Amino acid sequence: KIMNTLYKLFENSKIIAAVKDEKSARYASVSECSVVFVLGCTICSLPKIVSLLVNKNKIVFVHVDLVEGLGKDTWAVEFLKNEIKPHGIVSTRHHLIKHAKQLDMLAVQRMFLLDSSSIKTGIDMAEKSSADFIELMPGAIPKAISDIKKHIRQPIIAGGMITEKSEADIALKAGALAVSTSTMELWSKGSN
């Protein structure tokens, strides 16, 4: 059910706000972005950030790997599910994605593309992943987005190094469903 909601939200706003602190979370909470990735905050600020965003009807994903003070094991996912209550997680770690899915959470598998062999590795990883979405980093590589999209079932989110509307447009044209960015100027409707 929430996947259908997400697809409808992405029809109206293809930009995902990527927040790193309370200030950017407050900005995202009143932005036109429907989906927010929480990156790089601390375990102490995380409850306040997620609560603020959820109370503003945002779909919230927490990047497990980047929250300072949060472990990188399945207990971190359990803690998020039971205590923080985001809609899902983002992670580079396959075991955390798998555990989130077992807990009925949404999951975004983040992959880094470093060279042409990492595209093949990314395709293989996506085929084995139970993630709902694949986030490709950096997202400013349209050929890689297009190539990988042909081989995987999950929708692609382009993330990283996207700071201008033209870069977001190129990633979307290459086949990304959405673009995640920490550039606040891209969080308004005019950028979608």
Side-chain angles (χ1 to χ4, degrees):
K1 179 182 175 182
I2 194 161
M3 285 298 288
N4 290 335
T5 301
L6 269 172
Y7 283 118
K8 287 178 183 168
L9 292 172
F10 284 139
E11 286 176 13
N12 296 322
S13 176
K14 297 198 176 284
I15 301 294
I16 298 169
V19 303
K20 297 178 181 179
D21 54 30
E22 290 181 48
K23 180 181 177 184
S24 59
R26 280 191 301 276
Y27 190 87
S29 75
V30 296
S31 77
E32 296 182 26
C33 295
S34 301
V35 180
V36 180
F37 286 178
V38 178
L39 317 172
C41 66
T42 68
I43 196 168
C44 295
S45 61
L46 185 62
K48 185 175 181 180
I49 289 171
V50 172
S51 177
L52 167 71
L53 295 167
V54 169
N55 287 339
K56 293 288 189 171
N57 298 313
K58 305 298 182 183
I59 304 293
V60 180
F61 290 80
V62 172
H63 196 314
V64 180
D65 308 355
L66 298 180
V67 176
E68 292 182 46
L70 191 62
K72 309 302 185 245
D73 56 23
T74 56
W75 288 111
V77 179
E78 297 270 347
F79 172 76
L80 288 172
K81 167 81 175 174
N82 297 323
E83 303 299 326
I84 308 299
K85 300 180 183 358
H87 298 90
I89 68 162
V90 178
S91 182
T92 59
R93 294 173 164 85
H94 177 72
H95 72 285
L96 298 183
I97 298 293
K98 184 177 178 181
H99 195 65
K101 294 308 300 170
Q102 290 169 346
L103 295 174
D104 255 352
M105 296 178 77
L106 294 170
V108 176
Q109 177 85 50
R110 183 178 259 194
M111 295 180 193
F112 291 93
L113 303 176
L114 306 173
D115 54 26
S116 57
S117 66
S118 64
I119 292 175
K120 168 100 174 78
T121 302
I123 291 168
D124 293 342
M125 187 185 300
E127 288 174 346
K128 296 173 187 164
S129 177
S130 57
D132 299 294
F133 299 93
I134 303 298
E135 182 181 27
L136 299 179
M137 305 283 289
I141 305 176
K143 183 181 182 329
I145 294 168
S146 179
D147 288 349
I148 291 175
K149 183 174 173 45
K150 295 174 191 172
H151 298 282
I152 67 172
R153 63 177 169 73
Q154 298 97 332
I156 293 175
I157 296 169
M161 299 174 63
I162 296 176
T163 59
E164 297 179 15
K165 182 183 183 315
S166 61
E167 294 165 335
D169 292 343
I170 289 168
L172 294 167
K173 187 175 181 182
L177 174 67
V179 171
S180 69
T181 180
S182 58
T183 303
M184 292 182 201
E185 293 80 15
L186 298 181
W187 298 353
S188 67
K189 187 113 180 135
S191 300
N192 294 313

